[in-house]
Amino acid sequence: MRFSLSHTQCRHAMLWVAVIILAGCTSQSSKQLVKDYAEQSVKIHRTVDAVYVTAEQARVDAILSRAVRDGLSASELNITPIPHIGQRQALADLIRYANLLYALASDDHHARLDETSEQLHDTLTDLANNPFLRDDQTIDESDISLVSTAINALGRAMTETSRHQQLRAVMEAGQPVLQQTITRLRQDLPNWNMATRVSFDQALSIRLQLLNNPNSCQQSKEMRCITLHTSYDDRLEAYRQAYRTKQVLLNLDTQFAQLDLTLSDYLVMHDAIITSLTIDNTASLQGARRAIETTKQHLDALKDFQQQLEE
């Protein structure tokens, strides 16, 4: 893959070389810091992706609940998926970005450096061009190309002595793209909160309606009315499921607020890693580790919620 660089960009790349030559060896702690960040990032993005999956499943369940109540035919089960291609593609690219950073921070990265550098460029470009993220702010393609190309060349020339500077260059280049992506995903969370709530509400209402009116067909002239014949144990399990759904609804706003906070702190974590790679002292390392630990605590708080939704 070739990048076209202007004279100014080439001069910037040469400045990167000069800075990195003076940088010295990369500490093991810095490499581990980036790897920890990458692992935490993947968990965060997968947690957000689970929101889309859950909302979609809740919508399907609500439609199927109406089908049970009304005796719909197969041809009437026309379930249109919620449009979320842009969001899920953005999350997939964020996960790919984190995994590529992990690769650069790993001890065996040299053999894959050319390929990793090219993929980093492509990943940041894909994020910047995602239609879901369009707004008034644009990302300069030349900035992405410059840093990716510099990392490729410097990695082969300087090897281990430039490692944390390479990582810093990638993360700084990705900073505006990630800021734009996370901001847009956070803005979209209320829509998914509402979509999930409406679907759970509908399914719960229909379930309770059928449980509380088991002989409703006797008063209905609708030929397709369905009579449910259930045992005590069946009804107990149905009420148990209704109770679980009610608990999910009660906690939904809190959990989405927690998810929004997690995404916000993800950006804080990203910035803290850049600061640590720039300064590379004990205080900056501790600050970065605190940021990683904070996001870990958020994810732990969300874990029980995700398990409830999967039941």
Side-chain angles (χ1 to χ4, degrees), residues 101-120:
L101 282 179
Y102 189 97
L104 276 181
S106 300
D107 292 333
D108 61 345
H109 83 292
H110 300 291
R112 304 190 309 273
L113 191 59
D114 288 349
E115 179 183 358
T116 301
S117 166
E118 183 174 328
Q119 289 179 8
L120 279 164

Side-chain angles (χ1 to χ4, degrees), residues 3 51 70 86 123 179 191 218 223 230 252 266 280 294 299:
F3 304 111
V51 168
D70 301 333
T123 301
Q179 176 75 46
N191 298 327
Q218 295 178 4
M223 297 298 294
T230 58
L252 207 57
Y266 163 73
D280 200 18
T294 298
L299 290 173

Side-chain angles (χ1 to χ4, degrees), residues 171-182:
M171 297 185 73
E172 284 186 333
Q175 196 168 25
V177 184
L178 265 64
Q179 176 75 46
Q180 178 177 320
T181 304
I182 298 301

